[in-house]
Each structure stands twice: as structure tokens, then as C-alpha cells.
Amino acid sequence: MTQFREARPGDFEQIMRLYRQLHPEDPVLHDGSDASVFAQIRDSPGLRLFVLEADGAIVATTHLNLIPNLTRSASPYAVIENVVVEETLRKTGLGKQIMAGTLQAAWDAGCYKAMLLTGSRAPATHAFYRACGFSPDAKTAYLARPS
């Protein structure tokens, strides 16, 4: 039995464990800045951090960003980031569960679209997002990073 819900203050360590699976090259921060950002995300009205919990453990997480918009009848849009499922539980349907809950939260907030980017080239990753309702053909994404 799984439960889709918003992250709580006590979820920080389990979420960070999943993020280390997503980006193992990221340094572990010891100055508390990551915990501070976690609190900032949880306290920001347009930012929602979701988890999927199974048997008391967090097995998946997503970050939903709700962005106000002046076009499309002033309807907001959503950007979904940091989608990760516990690596030992991938391909078990948990990813589809958390994505369904995340998309429903976007639709409940009145969003007219939801977007995400992936850096993965793995065909299975792209098949997963297509199975969740995302189209790779609707838009073209460009990414800039500071030099």
C-alpha cells in the first residue's frame, strides 16, 4: 500500500537519499544549506514537494513548480523536476503512481500544461514519460547554464 502526499519536515533525510541516487556526483553538504532550501521549498506557495511512501519508507519523490502566467486566460503552468524512484524498486509502477499524483496536483491547481526535462538518453526513460502522458513532440527545449 502506498501513500502519495506532500513532503513533511521529517522526510528530509529520505528525500536526500533518493536525490543522491539521482545525482550521485553531487557533493554532500554539511553546512545545513540543503535543509534550509528544503524548508524554503515546503514554505513556498507555488512549490510542492511530493513523496510516495510505502511501508513507512519514502520510495519516490517529485518537485512540482506552479508558475503564474499571463497568457492562456491567466492559467498557471507546471514544471516537474527531480523525479526519482528508489533504484531497487524501479519498473514496479511506483514512478507512474507518483507522476499521476503530481500531474493531478497540477491540474487541480488549474495548470493548462505541465512540462519536464530529462537529461537521460535511455529509451526506457523516454518511454516512461510518454506512458505518463508527456509528448516529446509538443515543444523544443533549450537549456543554458552559467559558464
Side-chain angles (χ1 to χ4, degrees):
M1 181 78 171
T2 59
Q3 179 188 16
F4 174 81
R5 62 173 175 80
E6 289 207 51
R8 300 180 194 135
D11 296 334
F12 175 72
E13 289 299 329
Q14 290 189 69
I15 291 170
M16 292 307 296
R17 179 184 57 77
L18 290 175
Y19 283 167
R20 283 189 281 282
Q21 292 177 12
L22 182 64
H23 296 293
E25 70 283 355
D26 279 1
V28 175
L29 302 177
H30 299 286
D31 62 358
S33 58
D34 51 357
S36 177
V37 170
F38 176 71
Q40 180 183 357
I41 290 168
R42 288 188 43 261
D43 293 340
S44 296
L47 305 179
R48 301 182 69 190
L49 190 58
F50 293 112
V51 299
L52 193 64
E53 186 177 2
D55 300 321
I58 293 173
V59 296
T61 187
T62 59
H63 183 187
L64 176 66
N65 302 271
L66 302 170
I67 302 168
N69 183 38
L70 290 172
T71 64
R72 304 295 184 165
S73 301
S75 298
Y77 62 93
V79 176
I80 300 170
E81 281 286 319
N82 300 327
V83 178
V84 59
V85 174
E86 162 63 44
E87 59 193 357
T88 62
L89 298 173
R90 292 180 186 159
K91 299 188 190 303
T92 64
L94 296 173
K96 286 183 184 173
Q97 277 186 264
I98 196 163
M99 288 301 295
T102 303
L103 284 171
Q104 189 60 55
W107 308 149
D108 290 348
C111 292
Y112 80 95
K113 70 178 176 182
M115 303 182 294
L116 62 76
L117 299 171
T118 181
S120 174
R121 301 279 185 237
T125 301
H126 294 271
F128 166 72
Y129 287 126
R130 282 192 302 278
C132 290
F134 290 89
S135 170
D137 304 321
K139 296 270 184 178
T140 300
Y142 291 90
L143 182 67
R145 295 182 190 243
S147 43

